[in-house]
Amino acid sequence: MWTNVCYFYFVFFPLLFSLGHSLGYGFVNYVNPSDAERAINTLNGLRLQSKTIKVSYARPSSDSIKDANLYISGLPKTMTQKDVEDMFTQYGRIINSRVLVDQASGLSRGVAFIRFDKRSEAEEAIKDLNGSKPVGASEPITVKFAANPNQTKNSQLLSQLYNTQSRRFGGPVHHQAQRFRFSPMSVDHMSGVSGMNVAGSSSSGWCIFIYNLGQDADEGILWQMFGPFGAVTNVKVIRDFNTNKCKGFGFVTMTNYEEAAMAIASLNGYRLGDKVLQVSFKSSKSHK
DNA sequence: TTCGATT
C-alpha cells in the first residue's frame, strides 16, 4: 500500500514551463495510510482557481514509467477526450489525458496528450496508431512522444522570446526579456540593487499587505486565503504585544509574482467576516 | 487601529 500521495493537475500541459515555475504536480508523504486515503477522498477533483486537481496514490518511481507521454495531432475536431481515450486504452493504462481546445472558440485543436503508465505501452500505441486514420477521419493522425518540458520547453521558450524581442526592437534583448520572467531576482536586477526597491518584492518573495483583519484573525486564515493562489512561504498576523489581539493587519509572502498578483486582484475587497479586506503589495518603505 | 520582525 502506497502512502505516497501524488498531487497533479488535470490541466498539466497548458502550464507555463518557464524557469522557476511549478510543473504542476507534487508529492506528499503520509505517515498514516488512512490519512493519505482521506487526503485523496477530500481533495481529488477539488477546483483551485481555473484548475481541477487530481490527487491519487503515487506510482512507484521507476524508469519504466518515465517518458510515457504521447502527443497526438491531426485528430478530427469532433473527437472528445473520451473518444481519444477509447482509441488508446487498448494499449495500456492511461494515467492522464487531455484534448487541447482553442481558447477563443472553445473548439478542439485536434491535439491531445495521453500519458500511459508505462513507456512500453506508449511505444506500442505509436507503432500502431501513428499515421493511422481514426474512423470517419480523412487525414491520418500523428502520434509521437511528447516533448519533455524539463529539457526542451525552457530553452525553446527562451530562444523564442529572444528572437521575437530582437526582431521587434532590434536592440539589447535582456531588458525586454525581463518582462516575461517576473521574479523578485529579476526585478532586483532591473533596479540595480537588491532589497526592497520595488513594492512588495525582495529576494525571498513577494510580500503582500493585508489590512482590516478582525481581532481574532490567525495565521491559518491567511494560509487558507492565499494558499490556493500558489506558493506561500510565510504568513504573519500582527498582534498587540500585550493583548495578543490582531492589530488589524498581516503579511503574506508568495514566491511567484503572477500568483501574488492574482491573489491580490482576487482578495482585495474580499469580505472576511464583517470586514472588507484591503490587499496590496507591501509598501516599499520601512524594513531594514 | 492602515505596512512587522520575541527567530
Side-chain angles (χ1 to χ4, degrees):
Chain A
M1 167 65 89
W2 294 91
T3 56
N4 189 10
V5 176
C6 169
Y7 284 72
F8 65 95
Y9 295 124
F10 278 132
V11 189
F12 181 77
F13 301 102
L15 295 179
L16 275 177
F17 290 104
S18 49
L19 274 14
H21 279 84
S22 163
L23 260 42
Y25 63 92
F27 298 89
V28 175
N29 287 295
Y30 283 90
V31 172
N32 191 329
S34 65
D35 291 338
E37 189 179 348
R38 196 153 52 93
I40 291 172
N41 290 338
T42 57
L43 296 177
N44 186 39
L46 182 70
R47 293 208 332 237
L48 253 35
Q49 270 64 61
S50 60
K51 297 178 186 303
T52 301
I53 61 168
K54 172 182 175 178
V55 183
S56 65
Y57 289 111
R59 291 171 293 155
S61 180
S62 146
D63 282 344
S64 67
I65 69 171
K66 290 178 181 165
D67 301 314
N69 198 27
L70 293 182
Y71 173 91
I72 304 109
S73 60
L75 291 163
K77 306 281 198 286
T78 53
M79 285 189 77
T80 65
Q81 182 181 9
K82 181 175 185 309
D83 294 334
V84 179
E85 281 201 8
D86 287 347
M87 183 166 53
F88 282 82
T89 189
Q90 60 181 299
Y91 300 98
R93 177 180 164 212
I94 294 172
I95 298 301
N96 188 27
S97 71
R98 173 148 295 268
V99 173
L100 268 43
V101 296
D102 179 78
Q103 191 134 29
S105 67
L107 300 175
S108 166
R109 288 172 50 194
V111 173
F113 288 92
I114 297 266
R115 180 181 296 277
F116 279 104
D117 183 39
K118 296 284 190 314
R119 180 177 173 86
S120 58
E121 298 168 343
E123 282 170 348
E124 284 304 307
I126 291 176
K127 210 176 294 178
D128 250 34
L129 294 179
N130 184 37
S132 71
K133 286 184 194 170
V135 282
S138 55
E139 298 301 318
I141 60 172
T142 298
V143 183
K144 59 184 185 182
F145 285 110
N148 186 331
N150 304 308
Q151 295 154 7
T152 54
K153 278 282 175 63
N154 277 333
S155 54
Q156 282 176 8
L157 188 71
L158 280 178
S159 70
Q160 261 179 21
L161 273 177
Y162 273 60
N163 290 336
T164 305
Q165 295 304 328
S166 57
R167 249 185 281 118
R168 189 178 300 163
F169 298 101
V173 116
H174 57 279
H175 299 298
Q176 291 298 330
Q178 296 280 14
R179 288 176 180 275
F180 294 88
R181 187 177 162 251
F182 257 118
S183 76
M185 292 305 284
S186 65
V187 171
D188 283 351
H189 279 291
M190 290 163 89
S191 64
V193 187
S194 68
M196 304 288 284
N197 284 286
V198 176
S201 83
S202 78
S203 56
S204 56
W206 298 85
C207 192
I208 297 166
F209 173 63
I210 302 99
Y211 174 69
N212 222 9
L213 295 169
Q215 290 206 320
D216 298 320
D218 62 0
E219 272 73 12
I221 191 65
L222 293 180
W223 286 112
Q224 286 179 39
M225 286 196 298
F226 287 82
F229 292 92
V232 174
T233 56
N234 188 52
V235 302
K236 183 75 178 176
V237 169
I238 305 305
R239 296 184 173 85
D240 181 272
F241 183 82
N242 295 313
T243 68
N244 214 29
K245 292 291 186 185
C246 174
K247 290 164 80 169
F249 62 96
F251 299 92
V252 169
T253 303
M254 297 187 68
T255 303
N256 303 308
Y257 173 82
E258 289 85 354
E259 292 168 352
M262 182 65 71
I264 290 170
S266 304
L267 294 174
N268 186 39
Y270 180 81
R271 183 171 156 169
L272 179 64
D274 58 350
K275 292 183 162 60
V276 176
L277 298 183
Q278 290 175 31
V279 183
S280 64
F281 283 115
K282 181 185 185 301
S283 60
S284 52
K285 52 195 169 194
S286 83
H287 183 66
K288 49 175 158 188

